[in-house]
Amino acid sequence: MDNAFGQPQSVIVLGGTSDIARALTKRLCAARTRSVVLAGRDAARLAAAADEARGYGASMTATVHFDAEDLAGARRCVDEAFTQAGEPVDLVVVAVGQLGDQLLDEDDPARAASSAVVNFAWPSAALAEVRARLVAQGHGRIIVLSSIASVRVRRNAYLYGAAKAGLDRVCQGLASSLSGTGVSLQIVRPAFVRSKMTAGRPETPFSTGVNELAETIVRGLATGAPVIWSPPVLRYVALVLRVLPAPLWRLVAARG
Amino acid sequence: MTRERLTGWGRTAPSVAEVVTPDDEEGVVAAIAGSSAVIARGLGRSYGDAAQVGGGVALSNLGLGGVGPIDEGGRLSVGAGVSFDELLASSIPQGWFVPVTPGTRQVTLGGAIAADVHGKNHHVDGSIGAHVLDLRLVTPTGTSDVSPTKDPDLFWATVGGMGLTGVVTRLTLEMLPIETDRVLVDTERFDNLDAVMAAMAEGDQDYRYSVAWVDCMTRGAHMGRAILTRGNHAGAGDVTSATLTGPTPARLAVPFDAPSGLLNSWSVRAFNELWFRSAPRHEVGEAQGLATFFHPLDGVRDWNRLYGRRGFVQYQFCVPDDAGETVVRAITRLSDSRVPSFLAVLKRFGAATPGPLSFPAPGWTLALDLPVGPAALPGVLDELDELVIAARGRVYFAKDARLNPSKVRAMYPHLADFLEVKERVDPEHRMTSDLARRLGLTGE
């Protein structure tokens, strides 16, 4: 069960092998988390992440395999994760996504569609099932990794940014739909995060490491803020980005 | 049946459950049979998650009323959903007081049994369980009357058992005769913790009621300055115009949630200063009303809203007599961390009941109200748990909202005895709560 300080005991992470997810699992286990179910694509990396979670103090770990391009599999993945958890689930983290390669993807219908499926459609499908399960439980929390890229799409990553924007909006609606159910959803909007996913990409301003992001998320779990910005100052930067005239935005966005 | 979002008095960690309010024993039996996760709920005064069960059925006991006549020996049969407020309203005019009262009258008798509540007289009279003659208990496997002589294992597992053995529908209580509705109170102010603890160890036996308010926010020489109030019921000859009048409803209320952060280290420090200075340095034999003395917080309805949206936790622990040093270290740790804490309550405990999950044990108990918010607070409380365990003490489940489950067995060494009884009457583990799930009290 969740406690008064927003420290969950039982956690499911969809996209559990990402660097962000692993850093977050470490922080959660340092507090109260003892049951960790990790869902991801790569069996070997899932097993390694589960080992790692046990090292952080989790007494129950399990893994679930899924492919984020397989929309029909979203429900099965979530159901299996809840079954593996075996007890009321306090927190579901949705950290599913793929940055893609804009220049390769933008003229390739299959790859463009894939970005929309992995970053938007699959997480939305999974969230529908997560919502139903947690509402039936009468309690639980959801953390969804969105991105600063969702605030205003830029030329260099518009497929990713637009898909994240879609997911972000779904989450805004979902969060308000949860009022009075005992369940809540918090959106995380980080700036550039140094991780496997972004390796080799040019850093943009306000970038953070995964540990700093994980710390910010844990702090957000304690405060219950509907949107968790990382770094926190990004909240104000986003205000400016939203209203920047298009020509100026293109100049800013072209850097990085 | 309605679906409701429930929290404890601290207003943290909400969950949603179906709330049913049966008005007789058959209704209770049906509600338990109809769900795989049930817990009784009274007036919602436990601070944490003891009386809520996400996705299950919260069985409100407020339909289980009825206050019977009090016989010449003070014995009274009363419905578990009756509150102390309701009971005292009828008993005080007849010259009877409850044998034990918690700090608020807004607690049901059933809830009081579940938490084995204590009052200012614990050092003399023990907890409520010591004054209960029998209980009518509905468990998932049957209904029975239990008492200290009839199925004592089940009786004592129920006293302090946080509602996890079943639902109490009625009980017989032994009341305390009083001649007036006044208490003769001696008040003393102490400049530091050592002085007040010495005075309590020395003189508490001369008083039926004793409690000290401690300021946890002063450091240095005045660390833990305190106001000690002690008293006895006034006899008819002790006061000029002796009356027997029951409690009156609160005149003040907090109408909306205060902004989070209203109670910060500055405002709490200022309050504590005012509180301390407004107490007399030494006053003897002041006649106070029962409500003023026993239930000062009942004067303001919904005072928990002062803590704002994020709520608060109460941390209460007890340690044996020889571990008074732990109280000093706990208060030092809190005042050093500058976590804001309203005046803490310090008291001495007397004999324990045999309840395996009953909280009070001989020694000292300290209770602190702490707003949720300071980033250091969760870690500080985890450290205090370690101090408490090292001193063979424990924290109080009725107040808890954050204990690490790995520490439960060290604090409650008789947990296995409790779980054995629970397994007997509830083999399918139907009786459960968010507290029980969080701390592993359900059995597996």
Side-chain angles (χ1 to χ4, degrees):
Chain A
M1 294 300 299
D2 215 1
N3 69 13
F5 299 131
Q7 298 171 318
Q9 291 182 333
S10 170
V11 176
I12 291 174
V13 189
L14 305 180
T17 60
S18 72
D19 290 347
I20 292 173
R22 286 162 57 196
L24 183 59
T25 303
K26 180 178 181 179
R27 288 290 184 295
L28 293 171
C29 288
R32 290 286 189 270
T33 300
R34 291 297 168 264
S35 162
V36 178
V37 179
L38 300 170
R41 187 173 45 189
D42 185 315
R45 281 180 24 199
L46 274 175
D51 275 349
E52 200 174 78
R54 273 192 296 278
Y56 298 144
S59 52
M60 198 297 287
T61 61
T63 60
V64 175
H65 178 264
F66 77 89
D67 179 350
E69 302 212 29
D70 172 21
L71 281 178
R75 161 174 276 172
R76 178 206 51 83
C77 167
V78 172
D79 285 349
E80 207 175 310
F82 272 81
T83 306
Q84 293 281 3
E87 55 179 303
V89 173
D90 301 330
L91 173 67
V92 178
V93 178
V94 180
V96 180
Q98 122 198 327
L99 200 46
D101 186 325
Q102 175 68 32
L103 293 179
L104 284 181
D105 298 351
E106 62 191 20
D107 292 328
D108 182 331
R111 292 178 63 113
S114 163
S115 174
V117 169
V118 172
N119 292 307
F120 173 45
W122 195 93
S124 298
L127 278 166
E129 183 66 8
V130 168
R131 183 188 188 285
R133 301 289 300 232
L134 293 183
V135 167
Q137 268 186 197
H139 94 282
R141 309 173 67 175
I142 308 169
I143 286 276
V144 180
L145 268 294
S146 175
S147 167
I148 182 67
S150 73
V151 170
R152 194 160 176 183
V153 292
R154 57 195 183 95
R155 195 266 166 268
N156 295 6
Y158 67 78
L159 288 169
Y160 174 78
K164 281 289 189 190
L167 178 63
D168 195 290
R169 294 298 172 95
V170 163
C171 290
Q172 291 174 36
L174 213 164
S176 59
S177 82
L178 291 170
S179 167
T181 61
V183 181
S184 62
L185 180 149
Q186 292 169 275
I187 300 171
V188 184
R189 295 194 192 126
F192 184 95
V193 182
R194 292 181 292 274
S195 69
K196 283 198 299 278
M197 188 174 89
T198 60
R201 316 255 174 165
E203 279 190 35
T204 54
F206 303 103
S207 60
T208 65
V210 289
N211 291 321
E212 192 183 340
L213 171 58
E215 200 59 54
T216 307
I217 295 174
V218 166
R219 185 75 196 133
L221 279 170
T223 64
V227 177
I228 301 167
W229 297 90
S230 171
V233 70
L234 207 59
R235 170 190 308 271
Y236 306 103
V237 178
L239 283 179
V240 177
L241 294 187
R242 280 186 223 274
V243 296
L244 224 49
L248 211 50
W249 166 244
R250 278 196 291 274
L251 277 177
V252 172
R255 303 180 54 217
Chain B
M1 190 180 273
T2 57
R3 216 167 147 76
E4 280 180 46
R5 179 180 180 275
L6 302 173
T7 70
W9 189 243
R11 309 205 313 155
T12 57
S15 69
V16 169
E18 302 287 348
V19 177
V20 295
T21 311
D23 50 18
D24 57 20
E25 195 175 288
E26 288 81 76
V28 174
V29 172
I32 293 177
S35 174
S36 58
V38 195
I39 193 71
R41 182 179 175 94
L43 288 163
R45 256 35 174 218
S46 53
Y47 284 69
D49 46 7
Q52 62 195 55
V53 54
V57 169
L59 192 159
S60 169
N61 69 1
L62 298 180
L64 305 170
V67 181
I70 304 172
D71 73 15
E72 67 276 16
R75 282 177 294 273
L76 157 80
S77 171
V78 59
V82 172
S83 70
F84 280 73
D85 190 57
E86 189 184 345
L87 175 56
L88 289 170
S90 79
S91 77
I92 292 174
Q94 301 176 64
W96 296 98
F97 196 62
V98 285
V100 167
T101 175
T104 168
R105 295 185 303 275
Q106 306 305 326
V107 168
T108 65
L109 271 303
I113 301 299
D116 196 12
V117 298
H118 57 272
K120 295 182 179 186
N121 56 342
H122 193 282
H123 62 291
V124 175
D125 296 321
S127 55
I128 190 102
H131 307 272
V132 174
L133 300 175
D134 57 59
L135 298 172
R136 180 84 178 155
L137 179 71
V138 181
T139 75
T141 48
T143 302
S144 57
D145 292 299
V146 294
S147 75
T149 51
K150 187 169 176 242
D151 201 346
D153 287 347
L154 182 53
F155 177 84
W156 289 117
T158 302
V159 171
M162 303 311 293
L164 298 172
T165 56
V167 177
V168 175
T169 57
R170 286 197 78 76
L171 55 135
T172 309
L173 196 61
E174 205 160 34
M175 300 289 279
L176 178 75
I178 50 172
E179 294 176 20
T180 73
D181 57 11
R182 300 280 129 175
V183 180
L184 297 178
V185 182
D186 294 353
T187 304
E188 261 184 287
R189 234 162 64 171
F190 294 86
D191 287 331
N192 61 62
L193 193 59
D194 290 339
V196 70
M197 289 178 74
M200 292 170 84
E202 177 86 2
D204 267 12
Q205 288 309 319
D206 300 336
Y207 298 88
R208 177 163 230 141
Y209 302 105
S210 166
V211 72
W213 299 81
V214 180
D215 183 353
C216 292
M217 295 199 66
T218 45
R219 282 191 293 270
H222 294 305
M223 203 279 293
R225 60 184 178 174
I227 303 163
L228 175 61
T229 56
R230 298 188 284 199
N232 290 305
H233 287 288
D238 296 331
V239 286
T240 44
S241 52
T243 58
L244 283 166
T245 311
T248 53
R251 274 185 232 105
L252 300 172
V254 179
F256 52 80
D257 295 358
S260 286
L262 174 73
L263 299 186
N264 54 47
S265 59
W266 296 105
S267 61
V268 170
R269 202 182 296 270
F271 172 86
N272 286 2
E273 189 70 38
L274 195 69
W275 181 271
F276 186 77
R277 285 178 187 273
S278 65
R281 180 151 280 285
H282 189 81
E283 181 163 353
V284 176
E286 183 201 1
Q288 287 186 5
L290 291 170
T292 311
F293 183 71
F294 288 107
H295 312 117
L297 288 174
D298 283 353
V300 183
R301 264 189 295 126
D302 301 328
W303 60 263
N304 54 347
R305 289 177 155 182
L306 284 177
Y307 283 91
R309 183 181 61 83
R310 293 176 60 188
F312 72 109
V313 293
Q314 186 173 93
Y315 187 75
Q316 181 169 5
F317 67 88
C318 67
V319 288
D321 269 319
D322 59 15
E325 180 60 25
T326 301
V327 174
V328 180
R329 286 176 66 190
I331 292 178
T332 310
R333 181 71 190 90
L334 274 165
S335 73
D336 286 350
S337 72
R338 304 186 188 215
V339 167
S341 142
F342 260 118
L343 292 157
V345 175
L346 176 67
K347 107 132 265 100
R348 290 180 61 70
F349 274 159
T353 62
L357 294 194
S358 172
F359 166 67
W364 297 96
T365 184
L366 182 73
L368 308 139
D369 284 359
L370 304 154
V372 172
L377 183 58
V380 170
L381 295 185
D382 284 347
E383 284 176 40
L384 296 192
D385 290 338
E386 297 293 342
L387 285 178
V388 167
I389 288 173
R392 289 165 291 114
R394 56 175 69 129
V395 301
Y396 191 4
F397 289 143
K399 308 287 178 74
D400 182 59
R402 35 70 46 201
L403 179 65
N404 191 327
S406 67
K407 294 176 178 167
V408 171
R409 271 168 205 276
M411 292 185 174
Y412 288 89
H414 301 297
L415 177 65
D417 301 342
F418 171 81
L419 291 176
E420 197 182 312
V421 177
K422 179 166 167 59
E423 194 66 33
R424 164 159 71 91
V425 297
D426 181 20
E428 294 171 332
H429 308 141
R430 283 168 185 263
M431 304 306 304
T432 188
S433 61
D434 287 356
L435 173 96
R437 290 166 171 168
R438 183 168 56 81
L439 296 181
L441 307 178
T442 306
E444 209 48 67

